Amino acid sequence: MSGLPNLSLQAWQQTLDTAVAAQPSHISVYDLQVEPGTPFARKYQPGAAPLPTDTEAAAMFAGATLTLRRAGYEHYEVSNYALPGHRCRHNQ
């Protein structure tokens, strides 16, 4: 999950590298969404520290796509990546 409090681009890349090294057939990448009215939203405001900025969050998404595609994963649906032949049926 990207966009978490205090998550740096470097730490996010390490997470991606660790995931790729584990060689799963499918990876879902979700960006934290702060929903109004939730306890989390009362503690954290979108775009305010310690959450990543919108620019950093976009860079995390782009980094995930680049890293996973280079590792042979196909990007399908908004948040999903799979090795050829391993797309999740309910996500299509």
Side-chain angles (χ1 to χ4, degrees):
M1 177 173 258
S2 63
L4 296 173
N6 299 307
L7 182 62
S8 67
L9 289 169
Q10 180 181 4
W12 175 240
Q13 187 60 53
Q14 290 172 342
T15 298
L16 294 169
D17 293 341
T18 299
V20 168
Q23 299 179 324
S25 59
H26 189 276
I27 298 175
S28 294
V29 177
Y30 295 99
D31 186 53
L32 173 69
Q33 300 297 308
V34 180
E35 297 295 332
T38 63
F40 193 89
R42 286 190 284 280
K43 185 172 182 178
Y44 299 105
Q45 296 300 312
L51 296 178
T53 65
D54 289 345
T55 300
E56 291 168 328
M60 288 178 190
F61 181 80
T65 298
L66 181 63
T67 297
L68 296 173
R69 283 186 175 170
R70 282 183 178 165
Y73 291 85
E74 300 172 338
H75 186 193
Y76 75 102
E77 210 260 330
V78 175
S79 303
N80 293 288
Y81 301 80
L83 292 175
H86 292 279
R87 290 182 176 195
C88 184
R89 279 186 259 168
H90 79 269
N91 287 336
Q92 296 200 65

Coordinates of all heavy atoms in Angstrom, one line a residue:
M1 N 0.8 -1.2 0.0 CA 0.0 0.0 0.0 C 0.9 1.2 0.0 O 1.8 1.4 0.9 CB -0.9 0.0 1.2 CG -1.8 1.2 1.3 SD -3.0 1.1 2.6 CE -4.4 0.8 1.6
S2 N 0.7 2.1 -1.0 CA 1.4 3.3 -1.0 C 0.7 4.5 -0.4 O -0.5 4.3 0.0 CB 1.7 3.7 -2.5 OG 0.5 3.9 -3.2
G3 N 1.3 5.6 -0.2 CA 0.7 6.7 0.4 C 0.5 6.7 1.9 O -0.2 7.5 2.5
L4 N 1.2 5.8 2.6 CA 1.0 5.7 4.0 C 1.8 6.8 4.7 O 2.8 7.3 4.2 CB 1.6 4.3 4.5 CG 0.8 3.1 4.0 CD1 1.6 1.8 4.4 CD2 -0.6 3.1 4.5
P5 N 1.4 7.1 6.0 CA 2.1 8.1 6.7 C 3.6 7.8 6.8 O 4.0 6.6 7.1 CB 1.5 8.1 8.1 CG 0.1 7.6 7.9 CD 0.3 6.6 6.7
N6 N 4.5 8.8 6.6 CA 5.9 8.7 6.7 C 6.6 7.7 5.7 O 7.7 7.4 5.8 CB 6.3 8.3 8.1 CG 5.9 9.3 9.2 OD1 6.2 10.5 9.0 ND2 5.2 8.8 10.2
L7 N 5.8 7.3 4.7 CA 6.4 6.5 3.6 C 7.2 7.3 2.6 O 6.6 8.2 2.0 CB 5.3 5.7 2.9 CG 5.8 4.7 1.8 CD1 6.6 3.6 2.4 CD2 4.6 4.1 1.1
S8 N 8.5 7.1 2.5 CA 9.3 7.8 1.6 C 9.3 7.0 0.2 O 9.0 5.8 0.2 CB 10.7 7.9 2.1 OG 11.3 6.6 2.1
L9 N 9.7 7.7 -0.8 CA 9.9 7.1 -2.1 C 10.9 5.9 -2.1 O 10.7 4.9 -2.7 CB 10.3 8.1 -3.2 CG 9.2 9.1 -3.6 CD1 9.8 10.2 -4.4 CD2 8.1 8.4 -4.3
Q10 N 12.0 6.1 -1.3 CA 13.0 5.1 -1.2 C 12.4 3.9 -0.5 O 12.6 2.7 -0.9 CB 14.2 5.6 -0.4 CG 15.3 4.6 -0.2 CD 16.5 5.1 0.6 OE1 16.5 6.2 1.1 NE2 17.5 4.3 0.7
A11 N 11.7 4.1 0.6 CA 11.1 2.9 1.3 C 10.0 2.2 0.5 O 9.9 1.0 0.5 CB 10.4 3.4 2.6
W12 N 9.3 3.0 -0.3 CA 8.3 2.4 -1.2 C 9.0 1.5 -2.3 O 8.6 0.4 -2.6 CB 7.5 3.5 -1.9 CG 6.5 3.0 -2.9 CD1 6.5 3.3 -4.3 CD2 5.5 2.0 -2.8 NE1 5.5 2.7 -4.9 CE2 4.8 1.9 -4.0 CE3 5.0 1.3 -1.7 CZ2 3.8 1.0 -4.2 CZ3 3.9 0.5 -1.9 CH2 3.3 0.3 -3.1
Q13 N 10.1 2.0 -2.8 CA 10.9 1.2 -3.8 C 11.4 -0.1 -3.2 O 11.4 -1.1 -3.8 CB 12.0 2.1 -4.4 CG 12.7 1.4 -5.6 CD 11.8 1.0 -6.7 OE1 11.1 1.9 -7.2 NE2 11.7 -0.2 -7.2
Q14 N 11.9 0.0 -2.0 CA 12.3 -1.2 -1.3 C 11.2 -2.2 -1.1 O 11.4 -3.4 -1.3 CB 12.9 -0.8 0.1 CG 14.3 -0.1 -0.1 CD 14.8 0.4 1.3 OE1 14.0 0.5 2.3 NE2 16.0 0.7 1.3
T15 N 10.0 -1.7 -0.8 CA 8.8 -2.6 -0.7 C 8.5 -3.3 -2.0 O 8.3 -4.5 -2.1 CB 7.6 -1.8 -0.3 OG1 7.9 -1.2 1.0 CG2 6.3 -2.6 -0.2
L16 N 8.6 -2.5 -3.1 CA 8.3 -3.1 -4.4 C 9.4 -4.1 -4.8 O 9.1 -5.2 -5.3 CB 8.4 -2.0 -5.5 CG 7.2 -0.9 -5.4 CD1 7.5 0.2 -6.4 CD2 5.9 -1.6 -5.8
D17 N 10.7 -3.8 -4.5 CA 11.7 -4.7 -4.8 C 11.6 -6.0 -4.0 O 11.8 -7.1 -4.5 CB 13.1 -4.1 -4.5 CG 13.4 -3.0 -5.4 OD1 12.8 -2.9 -6.5 OD2 14.3 -2.1 -5.1
T18 N 11.1 -5.9 -2.7 CA 10.9 -7.1 -1.9 C 9.8 -7.9 -2.5 O 9.8 -9.2 -2.5 CB 10.6 -6.7 -0.4 OG1 11.8 -6.0 0.1 CG2 10.3 -7.9 0.4
A19 N 8.7 -7.3 -2.9 CA 7.6 -8.0 -3.5 C 8.0 -8.7 -4.7 O 7.6 -9.9 -4.9 CB 6.4 -7.0 -3.8
V20 N 8.7 -8.1 -5.6 CA 9.2 -8.7 -6.8 C 10.1 -9.9 -6.5 O 10.0 -11.0 -7.2 CB 9.9 -7.7 -7.8 CG1 10.6 -8.4 -8.9 CG2 8.8 -6.7 -8.3
A21 N 10.9 -9.8 -5.5 CA 11.9 -10.9 -5.2 C 11.1 -12.1 -4.7 O 11.6 -13.2 -4.8 CB 12.8 -10.4 -4.1
A22 N 9.9 -11.9 -4.1 CA 9.1 -13.0 -3.6 C 8.4 -13.8 -4.8 O 7.9 -14.9 -4.6 CB 8.1 -12.5 -2.6
Q23 N 8.4 -13.2 -6.0 CA 7.9 -13.8 -7.2 C 6.4 -14.3 -7.1 O 6.1 -15.3 -7.6 CB 8.8 -14.9 -7.6 CG 10.2 -14.5 -7.9 CD 11.1 -15.7 -8.4 OE1 11.0 -16.8 -7.9 NE2 12.0 -15.4 -9.3
P24 N 5.5 -13.4 -6.5 CA 4.1 -13.8 -6.6 C 3.6 -13.7 -8.0 O 4.2 -13.0 -8.8 CB 3.5 -12.8 -5.7 CG 4.3 -11.6 -5.8 CD 5.7 -12.1 -6.0
S25 N 2.6 -14.5 -8.3 CA 2.0 -14.4 -9.7 C 1.1 -13.2 -9.9 O 0.8 -12.8 -11.0 CB 1.2 -15.7 -10.0 OG 0.2 -15.8 -9.0
H26 N 0.7 -12.6 -8.8 CA -0.2 -11.4 -8.8 C 0.1 -10.4 -7.7 O 0.4 -10.8 -6.6 CB -1.7 -11.9 -8.7 CG -2.7 -10.9 -8.9 ND1 -3.1 -10.0 -8.0 CD2 -3.4 -10.6 -10.0 CE1 -4.0 -9.1 -8.5 NE2 -4.2 -9.5 -9.7
I27 N 0.0 -9.1 -8.0 CA 0.3 -8.1 -7.0 C -0.8 -7.0 -7.2 O -1.0 -6.6 -8.3 CB 1.7 -7.5 -7.2 CG1 2.8 -8.5 -7.0 CG2 1.9 -6.3 -6.2 CD1 4.2 -8.0 -7.2
S28 N -1.4 -6.6 -6.1 CA -2.3 -5.5 -6.1 C -1.6 -4.3 -5.4 O -1.0 -4.5 -4.3 CB -3.6 -5.8 -5.3 OG -4.3 -6.8 -6.0
V29 N -1.7 -3.1 -6.0 CA -1.1 -1.9 -5.4 C -2.1 -0.9 -5.2 O -2.8 -0.4 -6.1 CB 0.0 -1.4 -6.4 CG1 0.6 -0.1 -5.9 CG2 1.1 -2.4 -6.7
Y30 N -2.4 -0.6 -3.9 CA -3.4 0.4 -3.6 C -2.7 1.6 -2.9 O -1.8 1.5 -2.2 CB -4.4 -0.2 -2.6 CG -5.2 -1.3 -3.2 CD1 -4.8 -2.7 -3.0 CD2 -6.2 -1.1 -4.1 CE1 -5.6 -3.7 -3.6 CE2 -7.0 -2.1 -4.7 CZ -6.6 -3.4 -4.4 OH -7.3 -4.4 -5.0
D31 N -3.3 2.8 -3.3 CA -2.9 4.0 -2.6 C -3.8 4.3 -1.5 O -5.0 4.2 -1.7 CB -2.9 5.2 -3.7 CG -2.3 6.5 -3.1 OD1 -1.2 6.4 -2.6 OD2 -3.0 7.5 -3.2
L32 N -3.3 4.7 -0.4 CA -4.1 5.1 0.8 C -5.1 6.2 0.4 O -4.7 7.2 -0.2 CB -3.2 5.6 1.9 CG -4.0 6.1 3.1 CD1 -4.7 5.0 3.8 CD2 -3.1 6.9 4.1
Q33 N -6.4 6.0 0.7 CA -7.4 7.0 0.5 C -7.9 7.4 1.8 O -8.4 6.5 2.6 CB -8.5 6.4 -0.4 CG -8.1 5.9 -1.7 CD -7.6 7.0 -2.6 OE1 -8.2 8.0 -2.8 NE2 -6.4 6.8 -3.2
V34 N -7.8 8.7 2.1 CA -8.3 9.2 3.4 C -9.8 9.5 3.2 O -10.1 10.4 2.4 CB -7.5 10.4 3.8 CG1 -8.0 10.9 5.2 CG2 -6.0 10.1 4.0
E35 N -10.7 8.8 3.8 CA -12.1 9.0 3.7 C -12.6 10.0 4.7 O -12.4 9.8 5.9 CB -12.8 7.6 3.8 CG -12.5 6.6 2.7 CD -12.9 7.1 1.3 OE1 -13.9 7.8 1.2 OE2 -12.2 6.7 0.4
P36 N -13.3 11.0 4.3 CA -13.9 12.0 5.2 C -14.8 11.3 6.3 O -15.5 10.3 6.0 CB -14.7 12.9 4.4 CG -14.2 12.7 3.0 CD -13.7 11.3 2.9
G37 N -14.7 11.8 7.5 CA -15.5 11.4 8.6 C -15.0 10.1 9.3 O -15.6 9.7 10.3
T38 N -13.9 9.6 8.9 CA -13.3 8.4 9.5 C -12.4 8.8 10.6 O -11.8 10.0 10.6 CB -12.6 7.5 8.5 OG1 -11.5 8.3 8.0 CG2 -13.5 7.1 7.4
P39 N -12.1 8.0 11.6 CA -11.1 8.3 12.6 C -9.7 8.7 12.0 O -9.0 9.6 12.5 CB -11.0 7.1 13.5 CG -12.3 6.4 13.3 CD -12.8 6.7 11.9
F40 N -9.4 8.0 10.9 CA -8.1 8.3 10.3 C -8.1 9.7 9.7 O -7.1 10.4 9.8 CB -7.8 7.2 9.2 CG -6.4 7.3 8.6 CD1 -5.4 6.5 9.2 CD2 -6.1 8.1 7.6 CE1 -4.1 6.5 8.7 CE2 -4.8 8.1 7.1 CZ -3.8 7.3 7.7
A41 N -9.2 10.1 9.1 CA -9.3 11.4 8.5 C -9.2 12.5 9.6 O -8.8 13.6 9.4 CB -10.6 11.6 7.7
R42 N -9.7 12.2 10.8 CA -9.6 13.2 11.9 C -8.2 13.4 12.4 O -7.8 14.4 12.9 CB -10.5 12.7 13.1 CG -12.0 12.9 12.8 CD -12.9 12.8 14.0 NE -13.1 11.4 14.4 CZ -13.9 10.6 13.8 NH1 -14.7 11.0 12.7 NH2 -14.1 9.3 14.2
K43 N -7.3 12.4 12.1 CA -5.9 12.4 12.5 C -5.0 12.9 11.4 O -4.1 13.7 11.6 CB -5.4 11.1 13.0 CG -4.0 11.0 13.5 CD -3.7 9.7 14.1 CE -2.3 9.7 14.7 NZ -1.9 8.5 15.3
Y44 N -5.3 12.6 10.1 CA -4.5 12.9 9.0 C -5.3 13.6 7.9 O -6.4 13.2 7.6 CB -3.9 11.7 8.4 CG -3.0 10.9 9.3 CD1 -3.4 9.7 9.9 CD2 -1.7 11.3 9.6 CE1 -2.6 9.0 10.7 CE2 -0.9 10.6 10.4 CZ -1.3 9.5 11.0 OH -0.5 8.7 11.8
Q45 N -4.7 14.7 7.4 CA -5.4 15.4 6.3 C -4.6 15.1 5.0 O -3.4 15.2 5.0 CB -5.3 16.9 6.6 CG -6.1 17.3 7.8 CD -7.6 17.0 7.7 OE1 -8.2 17.3 6.7 NE2 -8.1 16.3 8.7
P46 N -5.4 14.8 3.9 CA -4.7 14.5 2.6 C -3.7 15.7 2.2 O -4.1 16.9 2.4 CB -5.9 14.4 1.6 CG -7.0 14.1 2.5 CD -6.8 14.8 3.8
G47 N -2.5 15.3 1.8 CA -1.5 16.3 1.4 C -0.7 16.9 2.5 O 0.2 17.6 2.2
A48 N -1.1 16.6 3.7 CA -0.4 17.2 4.9 C 0.5 16.2 5.5 O 0.1 15.0 5.6 CB -1.4 17.8 5.9
A49 N 1.7 16.6 5.9 CA 2.6 15.7 6.6 C 1.9 15.0 7.8 O 1.1 15.7 8.4 CB 3.8 16.4 7.1
P50 N 2.2 13.8 8.1 CA 3.2 12.9 7.5 C 2.8 12.1 6.3 O 3.5 11.3 5.8 CB 3.5 12.0 8.6 CG 2.2 11.7 9.3 CD 1.5 13.1 9.2
L51 N 1.7 12.5 5.7 CA 1.3 11.8 4.4 C 2.1 12.3 3.3 O 2.5 13.5 3.2 CB -0.2 12.0 4.1 CG -1.2 11.4 5.1 CD1 -2.6 11.7 4.7 CD2 -1.0 9.9 5.3
P52 N 2.4 11.5 2.3 CA 3.1 11.9 1.1 C 2.3 13.0 0.4 O 1.0 13.0 0.4 CB 3.2 10.7 0.2 CG 3.1 9.5 1.1 CD 2.1 10.0 2.2
T53 N 2.9 13.9 -0.3 CA 2.2 14.9 -1.1 C 1.6 14.2 -2.4 O 1.9 13.0 -2.7 CB 3.2 16.0 -1.7 OG1 4.1 15.3 -2.5 CG2 3.9 16.7 -0.5
D54 N 0.7 14.9 -3.0 CA 0.1 14.3 -4.3 C 1.2 14.0 -5.3 O 1.1 12.9 -5.9 CB -0.9 15.3 -4.9 CG -2.1 15.4 -4.1 OD1 -2.4 14.6 -3.2 OD2 -2.9 16.4 -4.3
T55 N 2.2 14.8 -5.4 CA 3.3 14.5 -6.3 C 4.1 13.3 -5.9 O 4.4 12.4 -6.8 CB 4.3 15.7 -6.4 OG1 3.5 16.9 -6.8 CG2 5.5 15.5 -7.3
E56 N 4.3 13.1 -4.6 CA 5.0 11.9 -4.2 C 4.1 10.7 -4.4 O 4.6 9.6 -4.8 CB 5.4 12.0 -2.7 CG 6.5 13.0 -2.4 CD 6.7 13.4 -1.0 OE1 5.7 13.4 -0.2 OE2 7.8 13.7 -0.6
A57 N 2.9 10.8 -4.1 CA 1.9 9.6 -4.3 C 1.9 9.2 -5.8 O 1.9 8.0 -6.1 CB 0.6 10.0 -3.8
A58 N 1.9 10.2 -6.7 CA 1.9 9.9 -8.1 C 3.2 9.2 -8.5 O 3.2 8.3 -9.3 CB 1.7 11.2 -8.9
A59 N 4.3 9.7 -7.9 CA 5.6 9.0 -8.2 C 5.6 7.6 -7.7 O 6.2 6.7 -8.3 CB 6.7 9.9 -7.5
M60 N 5.0 7.3 -6.6 CA 4.9 6.0 -6.0 C 4.1 5.1 -7.0 O 4.6 3.9 -7.3 CB 4.2 5.9 -4.7 CG 5.1 6.5 -3.6 SD 4.3 6.5 -2.0 CE 5.4 7.5 -1.0
F61 N 3.0 5.6 -7.5 CA 2.2 4.8 -8.5 C 3.1 4.5 -9.8 O 3.1 3.4 -10.3 CB 0.9 5.5 -8.9 CG 0.1 4.8 -9.9 CD1 -0.7 3.7 -9.5 CD2 0.1 5.1 -11.2 CE1 -1.5 3.0 -10.4 CE2 -0.6 4.4 -12.1 CZ -1.4 3.3 -11.7
A62 N 3.7 5.6 -10.3 CA 4.5 5.4 -11.5 C 5.7 4.5 -11.2 O 6.0 3.7 -12.1 CB 5.1 6.8 -11.9
G63 N 6.3 4.6 -10.0 CA 7.4 3.6 -9.7 C 6.9 2.2 -9.6 O 7.6 1.3 -10.1
A64 N 5.7 2.0 -9.1 CA 5.2 0.6 -9.0 C 5.0 0.1 -10.5 O 5.4 -1.0 -10.8 CB 3.9 0.6 -8.3
T65 N 4.4 0.9 -11.3 CA 4.1 0.4 -12.7 C 5.5 0.1 -13.4 O 5.6 -1.0 -14.0 CB 3.4 1.5 -13.5 OG1 2.1 1.7 -12.8 CG2 3.1 1.1 -14.9
L66 N 6.4 1.0 -13.3 CA 7.7 0.8 -13.9 C 8.4 -0.5 -13.4 O 8.9 -1.4 -14.1 CB 8.6 2.0 -13.8 CG 10.0 1.9 -14.4 CD1 9.9 1.8 -15.9 CD2 10.8 3.1 -14.0
T67 N 8.5 -0.6 -12.1 CA 9.2 -1.7 -11.4 C 8.5 -3.0 -11.8 O 9.2 -4.0 -12.1 CB 9.2 -1.5 -9.9 OG1 10.0 -0.4 -9.6 CG2 9.8 -2.7 -9.2
L68 N 7.2 -3.1 -11.7 CA 6.5 -4.3 -11.9 C 6.5 -4.7 -13.4 O 6.6 -5.9 -13.7 CB 5.1 -4.2 -11.4 CG 5.0 -4.1 -9.8 CD1 3.6 -3.8 -9.3 CD2 5.6 -5.3 -9.1
R69 N 6.3 -3.8 -14.3 CA 6.4 -4.1 -15.7 C 7.8 -4.6 -16.1 O 7.9 -5.6 -16.9 CB 6.1 -2.9 -16.6 CG 4.6 -2.6 -16.6 CD 4.2 -1.5 -17.6 NE 2.8 -1.4 -17.7 CZ 2.2 -0.4 -18.3 NH1 3.0 0.6 -18.8 NH2 0.9 -0.3 -18.4
R70 N 8.8 -4.0 -15.5 CA 10.2 -4.5 -15.8 C 10.4 -5.9 -15.3 O 11.2 -6.6 -15.9 CB 11.2 -3.6 -15.2 CG 11.4 -2.3 -15.9 CD 12.5 -1.5 -15.2 NE 12.8 -0.2 -16.0 CZ 13.5 0.8 -15.5 NH1 14.0 0.8 -14.3 NH2 13.6 1.9 -16.3
A71 N 9.7 -6.3 -14.3 CA 9.8 -7.6 -13.7 C 8.9 -8.6 -14.4 O 8.8 -9.8 -14.0 CB 9.4 -7.6 -12.2
G72 N 8.2 -8.2 -15.5 CA 7.3 -9.1 -16.3 C 5.9 -9.1 -15.9 O 5.1 -9.9 -16.5
Y73 N 5.4 -8.2 -15.0 CA 4.0 -8.2 -14.7 C 3.3 -7.3 -15.7 O 3.7 -6.3 -16.1 CB 3.9 -7.6 -13.3 CG 4.4 -8.5 -12.2 CD1 5.7 -8.5 -11.8 CD2 3.5 -9.4 -11.5 CE1 6.2 -9.4 -10.9 CE2 4.0 -10.3 -10.6 CZ 5.3 -10.2 -10.2 OH 5.8 -11.1 -9.3
E74 N 2.0 -7.7 -16.0 CA 1.1 -7.0 -16.9 C 0.3 -6.1 -16.0 O -0.2 -6.6 -14.9 CB 0.2 -7.9 -17.6 CG 0.9 -8.9 -18.5 CD 0.0 -9.9 -19.1 OE1 -1.1 -10.2 -18.6 OE2 0.4 -10.5 -20.2
H75 N 0.1 -4.8 -16.3 CA -0.7 -3.9 -15.5 C -2.1 -4.0 -16.1 O -2.3 -3.7 -17.3 CB -0.2 -2.5 -15.6 CG -1.0 -1.5 -14.8 ND1 -0.8 -0.2 -14.9 CD2 -1.9 -1.7 -13.8 CE1 -1.6 0.4 -14.0 NE2 -2.2 -0.5 -13.3
Y76 N -3.1 -4.5 -15.4 CA -4.5 -4.5 -15.8 C -5.3 -4.0 -14.7 O -5.0 -4.0 -13.5 CB -4.9 -6.0 -16.2 CG -5.1 -6.9 -15.0 CD1 -6.4 -7.2 -14.6 CD2 -4.0 -7.4 -14.3 CE1 -6.6 -8.0 -13.5 CE2 -4.2 -8.2 -13.3 CZ -5.5 -8.6 -12.9 OH -5.8 -9.4 -11.8
E77 N -6.5 -3.5 -15.0 CA -7.4 -2.9 -14.0 C -6.5 -1.8 -13.3 O -5.4 -1.6 -13.6 CB -7.9 -3.9 -13.1 CG -9.3 -3.6 -12.5 CD -9.2 -3.1 -11.1 OE1 -8.2 -3.4 -10.4 OE2 -10.0 -2.3 -10.7
V78 N -7.1 -1.0 -12.5 CA -6.4 0.1 -11.9 C -5.3 -0.3 -11.0 O -4.2 0.3 -11.1 CB -7.4 1.0 -11.2 CG1 -6.7 2.2 -10.5 CG2 -8.5 1.6 -12.1
S79 N -5.5 -1.2 -10.2 CA -4.5 -1.5 -9.1 C -3.8 -2.9 -9.2 O -3.2 -3.3 -8.3 CB -5.2 -1.4 -7.8 OG -5.8 -0.1 -7.6
N80 N -4.0 -3.5 -10.3 CA -3.5 -4.9 -10.4 C -2.5 -5.2 -11.4 O -2.5 -4.6 -12.5 CB -4.8 -5.8 -10.6 CG -5.7 -5.8 -9.4 OD1 -5.4 -6.3 -8.4 ND2 -6.8 -5.1 -9.6
Y81 N -1.6 -6.1 -11.0 CA -0.5 -6.5 -11.9 C -0.4 -8.0 -11.8 O -0.5 -8.6 -10.7 CB 0.8 -5.9 -11.4 CG 0.8 -4.4 -11.4 CD1 0.2 -3.7 -10.4 CD2 1.4 -3.7 -12.4 CE1 0.2 -2.3 -10.4 CE2 1.4 -2.3 -12.4 CZ 0.8 -1.6 -11.4 OH 0.8 -0.2 -11.4
A82 N -0.1 -8.7 -12.9 CA 0.0 -10.1 -12.9 C 1.0 -10.6 -13.9 O 1.2 -10.0 -14.9 CB -1.4 -10.8 -13.2
L83 N 1.6 -11.7 -13.6 CA 2.4 -12.4 -14.6 C 1.5 -12.9 -15.6 O 0.3 -13.2 -15.4 CB 3.2 -13.5 -13.9 CG 4.3 -13.1 -12.9 CD1 4.9 -14.3 -12.2 CD2 5.3 -12.2 -13.6
P84 N 2.0 -13.1 -16.9 CA 1.1 -13.6 -17.9 C 0.4 -14.9 -17.5 O 1.0 -15.8 -16.9 CB 2.1 -13.9 -19.1 CG 3.2 -12.9 -18.8 CD 3.3 -12.8 -17.3
G85 N -0.9 -14.9 -17.8 CA -1.8 -16.0 -17.5 C -2.3 -16.1 -16.0 O -2.9 -17.0 -15.6
H86 N -2.0 -15.0 -15.3 CA -2.4 -15.0 -13.8 C -3.3 -13.9 -13.4 O -3.4 -13.5 -12.3 CB -1.2 -15.1 -13.0 CG -0.4 -16.3 -13.1 ND1 -0.8 -17.5 -12.4 CD2 0.7 -16.7 -13.8 CE1 0.1 -18.5 -12.7 NE2 1.0 -18.0 -13.6
R87 N -4.0 -13.3 -14.4 CA -4.9 -12.2 -14.0 C -6.1 -12.8 -13.2 O -6.5 -13.9 -13.5 CB -5.5 -11.6 -15.3 CG -4.5 -10.7 -16.1 CD -5.2 -10.1 -17.2 NE -4.2 -9.2 -17.9 CZ -4.5 -8.3 -18.8 NH1 -5.8 -8.2 -19.1 NH2 -3.6 -7.6 -19.4
C88 N -6.5 -12.0 -12.2 CA -7.6 -12.5 -11.4 C -8.9 -12.2 -12.1 O -9.2 -11.1 -12.6 CB -7.6 -11.6 -10.1 SG -8.8 -12.2 -8.9
R89 N -9.7 -13.3 -12.2 CA -11.0 -13.2 -13.0 C -11.9 -12.1 -12.5 O -12.5 -11.4 -13.2 CB -11.7 -14.5 -13.0 CG -11.1 -15.4 -14.1 CD -11.9 -16.7 -14.2 NE -11.2 -17.7 -13.4 CZ -11.6 -18.9 -13.1 NH1 -12.8 -19.2 -13.3 NH2 -10.9 -19.7 -12.4
H90 N -12.0 -12.0 -11.2 CA -13.0 -11.0 -10.6 C -12.6 -9.6 -10.8 O -13.3 -8.7 -10.6 CB -13.4 -11.4 -9.2 CG -12.4 -10.9 -8.2 ND1 -11.4 -11.7 -7.7 CD2 -12.3 -9.7 -7.5 CE1 -10.7 -11.1 -6.8 NE2 -11.2 -9.9 -6.7
N91 N -11.3 -9.3 -11.2 CA -10.8 -8.0 -11.4 C -11.0 -7.5 -12.9 O -10.6 -6.4 -13.2 CB -9.3 -7.8 -11.0 CG -9.2 -7.8 -9.5 OD1 -10.1 -7.5 -8.8 ND2 -8.0 -8.2 -9.1
Q92 N -11.4 -8.4 -13.7 CA -11.5 -8.1 -15.2 C -12.9 -7.6 -15.6 O -13.8 -8.0 -15.1 CB -11.0 -9.2 -16.0 CG -9.6 -9.5 -15.7 CD -8.9 -10.3 -16.8 OE1 -8.8 -9.9 -17.9 NE2 -8.5 -11.6 -16.5

